[in-house]
Amino acid sequence: MPPCATWNAGRWDIVSRMRIPPQSAAFVLLLGAMSAMPPFATDLGLPALGTIAGSLHTSAGMSGLTISLFMAGFTATPLIYGPVSDRYGRKPVLVGGLSAFAVASLLCALAPSIATLLIARLLEGAGAGAGITMAFAIVRDLFSGAPARTRLSMVTVVLNTAPVISPTVGALILTFAGWRAIYGTLAAIGFLVVFASLFGYRESRDRQTIGPRGSLVAGYRRLLGNRSCVGHFLIYGLSFGSAFAYISGSSLVVITLYRASPTEYGLLFACTALGIVFGATLNGWLSTRRTHRLPMLPTGLAGMIAVTVLLTLLALSGPVRLPVLVPLFFLVTFSFGIIAPNASHGTLEPIPEIAGVASGVLASFQMLCATVASTLVSLLFARFGLSAVVGTMLIFAIAAGLAYLAVPRAALSAA
């Protein structure tokens, strides 16, 4: 064998050894890391907003735009990443998008002015959208049925651990290394996930289906023409809007209304946010047990609607003690943890050929609902207080329930 052939064979043998088996827990962690980029990049920098304003000689409002522009970049790009990955494969989109995220994070760390930082954050959000979009699509490429629901539950667990730990980690980094180190940490994480995706993930999109078959518009037309897909992605986004109304308004409720300290707030927020993790873990465990017959999606929706109705009635009846609210908020996030894997599975399962399109719609609609919910809470809180938060939660929960009624019964029975 020629020396060059021997070298090439050895090189590909090393690469093949680095591949992460899709059935392994390490592969789930990789998928979770891909999808956790948006919440991690959003929440890690929250403790540093005031410091950034002072360091770059700008206002608190301008530093707050670092969150808004990141979310703006993230909201739109999954709609592009999805169909592009259906045509050209998941890996190029994944590696390209996360590389952009890592480079933009590095630019944030080095930004000499608030204008540069804001531009870099917009690009960072645009790159982050690739990770969560491809994670959903990759699961559908490799799994279907109960195994897919199990993996989506596991990804939901990893994905929703990030918002719980990010503010605390960000505060520690800020204390010991300054705000620029926060974005440097994001850059390091981004490059690490790019490396793991480049060598650990083998293209999951069937090569026979990659190519210029149909237009971008045709993919979206097919998705929107499928009642099951539409109903499930509406359930996913609207139920997330209900949970996010609490997430976005939690500091207003706990700190402003109940005068809790930031430390107490962080502890209470972690307890309630972990509800998503527990709900998704339970759903994943039940998905592996063929003996269980509990319909998880309607159970999660019923739980969310019932708890948000109770929260609204309590808020309208007069002052509510914080120890009463916290368990109820936990039950809302717990319900979403059950809903999320099943609703995302219901969106992806019927259309494996355009799973990228479906994943893009899932990610973008989720962020759209989160933006609307947080905006409503912000606009109404000054006048209505707690009722603004729980009322918004109730509106989105009922809307998710109505979306469930629109899903064909055959699709629900097959789930």
Side-chain angles (χ1 to χ4, degrees), residues 65-253:
L65 284 177
T66 58
I67 304 299
S68 301
L69 286 175
F70 177 89
M71 293 178 69
F74 169 72
T75 300
T77 51
L79 295 175
I80 300 171
Y81 290 137
V84 170
S85 74
D86 284 337
R87 178 169 295 187
Y88 300 108
R90 315 297 185 209
K91 194 164 187 174
V93 174
L94 176 64
V95 172
L98 291 184
S99 296
F101 169 86
V103 171
S105 299
L106 187 59
L107 182 59
C108 289
L110 301 174
S113 65
I114 187 63
T116 304
L117 179 60
L118 293 177
I119 293 171
R121 282 288 281 176
L122 180 65
L123 297 175
E124 188 185 41
I132 189 168
T133 307
M134 292 304 97
F136 282 131
I138 289 168
V139 170
R140 183 59 190 92
D141 289 341
L142 298 172
F143 305 99
S144 63
R149 280 194 294 272
T150 302
R151 267 71 183 185
L152 288 168
S153 298
M154 294 176 180
V155 170
T156 301
V157 170
V158 179
L159 168 62
N160 288 284
T161 301
V164 176
I165 66 173
S166 295
T168 302
V169 174
L172 289 173
I173 296 173
L174 180 65
T175 300
F176 293 103
W179 71 268
R180 294 184 185 275
I182 290 176
Y183 293 111
T185 300
L186 288 172
I189 293 172
F191 283 120
L192 181 63
V193 177
V194 168
F195 179 85
S197 302
L198 191 61
F199 295 101
Y201 161 61
R202 183 175 182 177
E203 176 62 62
S204 57
R205 177 71 165 154
D206 185 354
R207 289 289 178 183
Q208 293 181 349
T209 63
I210 296 177
R213 288 179 167 83
S215 65
L216 182 149
V217 175
Y220 283 109
R221 186 184 297 119
R222 182 178 174 191
L223 170 69
L224 297 176
N226 188 305
R227 281 182 57 199
S228 177
C229 293
V230 171
H232 280 98
F233 85 68
L234 289 175
I235 293 169
Y236 184 89
L238 292 167
S239 60
F240 181 75
S242 181
F244 198 81
Y246 159 68
I247 293 170
S248 63
S250 58
S251 63
L252 296 173
V253 171

